[in-house]
Amino acid sequence: MDDTATITPYRDGPLLVRGPFRLADQDGNEIDIGRRTVALCRCGKSRMRPFCDGTHKVIRFSAPSGVEQR
């Protein structure tokens, strides 16, 4: 069993976090997630932030899955 977290940015979608990790708010309080895989919002419009609720599809959020070329 792998003991590291993997974060995968999905093109035009969320950051998918898999594996053991701790999620905390800006004050250091732990956010109980109750699972080993979560989708974190990248578009900023989710009503469940920091979690993704699929709003990125409605607003046509656009972002690459890799490093942006500038």
Side-chain angles (χ1 to χ4, degrees):
M1 183 141 134
D2 196 359
D3 63 349
T4 59
T6 301
I7 303 172
T8 307
Y10 278 82
R11 182 174 17 99
D12 304 335
L15 296 170
L16 200 64
V17 184
R18 293 183 183 101
F21 62 92
R22 180 178 176 271
L23 186 61
D25 66 16
Q26 66 184 9
D27 298 320
N29 301 308
E30 188 161 352
I31 298 172
D32 183 28
I33 53 170
R35 60 182 67 184
R36 289 177 53 95
T37 302
V38 296
L40 297 178
C41 177
R42 270 204 304 174
C43 74
K45 301 296 183 184
S46 172
R47 292 187 182 136
M48 298 173 32
R49 284 186 307 253
F51 306 106
C52 175
D53 69 358
T55 299
H56 60 274
K57 294 176 187 174
V58 175
I59 66 167
R60 296 184 175 191
F61 174 70
S62 178
S65 62
V67 177
E68 290 188 46
Q69 302 300 317
R70 300 221 178 218

